Amino acid sequence: MLRVAMLSRWHVHANQYAGETRANPDADVVAVWDEDPTRGAAWADELEVPFEGNLDTLLASDDIDAVCVVTPTKAHRDVMVRSANAGKHIFTEKVLATTVADCEAIANAVRANGVKFCISFPRRTIPQILYVKEAVDEGLLGQVTALRVRIAHDGAVRDWLPAHFYDPDACGGGAMMDLGAHGMYLCRWLLGPPKRIVSVFNTVTGRAVDDNTVSVIEFENGAIAVNETSFTGFGGCYSLEIDGTEGGLRMLSPGEGVQIRSKHLGGNGWQQPERLPEAQAKPIDQWIAGCVHGTPIEFGLESAIQLTQLMEAAYVADAEDRSVNLG
């Protein structure tokens, strides 16, 4: 049984991760720490576990095997380095950190202490997106030339996001740093090493962070990706289009399925795939299985650092109104 401490209820996914941990027969939530003691104590009462207000005391406990890090992004480096040095396995909300330098510090601590690590990249586990990766890798699209992904919701216009999600110090950014991370890691996974990036970020609601954003990324293989995200999109959106020299693929939303056209599949007409891959385990379930049974964890340090490389450059590109080289 993996005994997990929840580190903060700051992020909107904190409740989700606590629930997913408890739904797994190989794990349980056994303690809570929070940088806000009032919030943490209330959550501990809800979960019926002890609250520990001192992080070092919690990490020193032999009754805790692992931590789920859902703190403000700016605290990730400190919290994860301390957790790794205490020998605790780590699951973290994306992004790993806002700078590659902070990511490397976390990675060094994780490696030095031999703890298991997983970052939450849930969009890489669904059948529709796994099919996109399969089609690219099998050459059904030829040489990929363009990718567009848009993931948006209405959290800023309907005010269902917590106010602290608009704190540039705590978050390191806005819509792109949070929701846009999904598009960033999908682009990197599908297209390989990036070459350069430009960005246009603005705010529709007048908050201190971006809530309406786009980054354009050129990859070393010549493909160009457009990653769009927003906290101001009516009703939400999750769409993906990809084109190549020998085919294309489109997904209006996962629920509406994927369509492909390819010279290798009979011509120019759009068609439904004959099959989709099986869904992969949720990131937190992969992490628990890796900790308990030693099975592979798909979303590790390398992928986490690659995401921050793109994210850090995206914000520099917008702030300095220039193209940022990544190669």
Side-chain angles (χ1 to χ4, degrees):
M1 176 69 68
L2 188 72
R3 299 166 297 178
V4 179
M6 300 300 301
L7 302 190
S8 181
R9 202 184 196 177
W10 178 85
H11 200 278
V12 294
H13 291 153
N15 290 346
Q16 172 192 337
Y17 296 142
E20 289 177 350
T21 298
R22 285 199 153 164
N24 189 304
D26 286 330
D28 195 13
V29 174
V30 299
V32 168
W33 168 86
D34 199 306
E35 71 279 359
D36 179 339
T38 301
R39 180 177 62 199
W43 195 24
D45 285 344
E46 290 178 30
L47 295 173
E48 299 182 334
V49 299
F51 172 73
E52 174 52 64
N54 185 291
L55 180 58
D56 289 327
T57 300
L58 180 145
L59 294 175
S61 173
D62 292 333
D63 296 326
I64 293 169
D65 306 308
V67 296
C68 179
V69 179
V70 215
T71 67
T73 309
K74 74 171 184 178
H76 276 194
R77 174 177 176 165
D78 177 59
V79 167
M80 282 190 250
V81 168
R82 289 160 73 181
S83 297
N85 288 339
K88 309 305 182 186
H89 304 300
I90 297 170
F91 179 87
T92 181
E93 173 61 16
K94 54 40 173 163
V95 296
L96 179 58
T98 58
T99 69
V100 172
D102 282 353
C103 288
E104 294 291 358
I106 295 166
N108 289 340
V110 167
R111 293 171 180 137
N113 291 282
V115 297
K116 300 289 186 179
F117 171 89
C118 182
I119 191 168
S120 185
F121 284 3
R123 311 285 173 136
R124 281 180 49 179
T125 68
I126 67 172
Q128 294 82 1
I129 299 299
L130 291 171
Y131 178 77
V132 176
K133 176 66 169 172
E134 188 177 277
V136 170
D137 289 348
E138 291 181 0
L140 295 181
L141 310 183
Q143 179 183 346
V144 175
T145 56
L147 168 64
R148 175 179 176 265
V149 58
R150 176 168 179 79
I151 303 177
H153 62 54
D154 54 11
V157 289
R158 293 185 61 193
D159 285 328
W160 56 260
L161 281 175
H164 57 247
F165 258 52
Y166 307 111
D167 179 346
D169 180 53
C171 303
M176 184 58 77
M177 186 65 69
D178 179 64
L179 194 60
H182 297 294
M184 286 295 195
Y185 68 68
L186 289 177
C187 289
R188 180 63 174 81
W189 182 52
L190 292 168
L191 299 180
K195 183 177 180 181
R196 60 183 174 130
I197 187 168
V198 296
S199 301
V200 176
F201 298 170
N202 67 22
T203 173
V204 173
T205 61
R207 287 173 164 95
V209 297
D210 55 285
D211 61 24
N212 185 43
T213 71
V214 60
S215 290
V216 180
I217 312 158
E218 181 185 16
F219 288 81
E220 290 183 1
N221 61 9
I224 297 173
V226 179
N227 180 29
E228 304 171 10
T229 193
S230 174
F231 288 163
T232 63
F234 178 76
C237 177
Y238 181 10
S239 62
L240 184 148
E241 301 171 76
I242 187 165
D243 286 311
T245 56
E246 297 175 357
L249 189 147
R250 64 188 182 188
M251 180 190 79
L252 185 60
S253 73
E256 295 173 81
V258 175
Q259 291 184 311
I260 187 171
R261 58 183 179 183
S262 169
K263 66 176 286 186
H264 304 285
L265 297 175
N268 295 325
W270 291 103
Q271 58 185 287
Q272 300 285 342
E274 293 184 359
R275 60 162 190 85
L276 293 178
E278 292 291 325
Q280 289 189 355
K282 296 176 182 177
I284 205 160
D285 288 330
Q286 291 189 29
W287 174 65
I288 292 168
C291 293
V292 176
H293 304 294
T295 52
I297 298 170
E298 184 74 16
F299 315 120
L301 291 168
E302 181 179 3
S303 296
I305 295 170
Q306 289 171 352
L307 168 59
T308 292
Q309 180 196 27
L310 280 171
M311 197 66 75
E312 182 179 18
Y315 275 87
V316 171
D318 175 69
E320 299 182 3
D321 193 22
R322 66 181 178 90
S323 172
V324 175
N325 291 329
L326 291 160

